[in-house]
Amino acid sequence: MIEVRVTCNDSNSYPALVDLDDQRDGFVKPWFDLDTVRRIAADTQAEADRLGHGSADTVHVLEGTVDGTGHAVVIGICWMYLGGDKHQEAVEIVQPNADGRYAVGGHEWCWYVLDEPRNPAIPAQVKRAPLPPFPGQHTA
């Protein structure tokens, strides 16, 4: 995995670790540390307050202590799924990986990597052999 900066909404960007081999249509699955997940939670909740819950998924971090040990539970809510056919998929508990990082939104949020000046870093297109010319077509 490599450390990059990612976004899924052109407004907020976050540091994350990604495996560049784990892409879907150029979108990556970022893994965030808990402090970054807290920022994502605050940003998504503010967006839902501004635009309405039907327009934005939200992330929530619940924290508590059990037997002297601190724990965090990360929850993702797709508000648009509530009340519909996918209501059972509306709430997701995001489990950390072995390194304690969370894949908030996974591939579904269409996260993409930003380059140094914070432009989208689009992956290289698949190179194809040129098509043969049409009958009568002049080629350069």
Side-chain angles (χ1 to χ4, degrees), residues 11-84:
S11 297
N12 306 99
S13 66
Y14 309 98
L17 293 180
V18 299
D19 176 355
L20 292 178
D21 291 331
D22 186 11
Q23 294 187 34
R24 290 188 191 158
D25 298 323
F27 298 111
V28 296
K29 181 179 183 180
W31 292 88
F32 303 102
D33 63 26
L34 187 55
D35 285 338
T36 302
V37 173
R38 288 183 188 108
R39 282 189 44 226
I40 294 169
D43 291 343
T44 60
Q45 291 172 45
E47 183 177 17
D49 287 344
R50 191 172 58 257
L51 302 175
H53 284 83
S55 298
D57 293 354
T58 58
V59 175
H60 304 265
V61 179
L62 306 176
E63 298 183 74
T65 303
V66 177
D67 296 329
T69 302
H71 297 277
V73 177
V74 175
I75 299 171
I77 301 175
C78 181
W79 292 91
M80 292 176 280
Y81 285 0
L82 292 172

Side-chain angles (χ1 to χ4, degrees), residues 78-131:
C78 181
W79 292 91
M80 292 176 280
Y81 285 0
L82 292 172
D85 292 340
K86 294 186 173 186
H87 67 278
Q88 293 179 336
E89 299 172 37
V91 178
E92 173 192 15
I93 296 177
V94 182
Q95 299 289 340
N97 66 8
D99 297 323
R101 291 182 166 266
Y102 300 82
V104 173
H107 287 290
E108 290 76 25
W109 280 22
C110 299
W111 293 100
Y112 56 92
V113 174
L114 298 172
D115 65 12
E116 194 57 37
R118 301 229 174 141
N119 295 314
I122 306 298
Q125 299 295 318
V126 176
K127 293 186 179 183
R128 300 180 196 171
L131 296 173

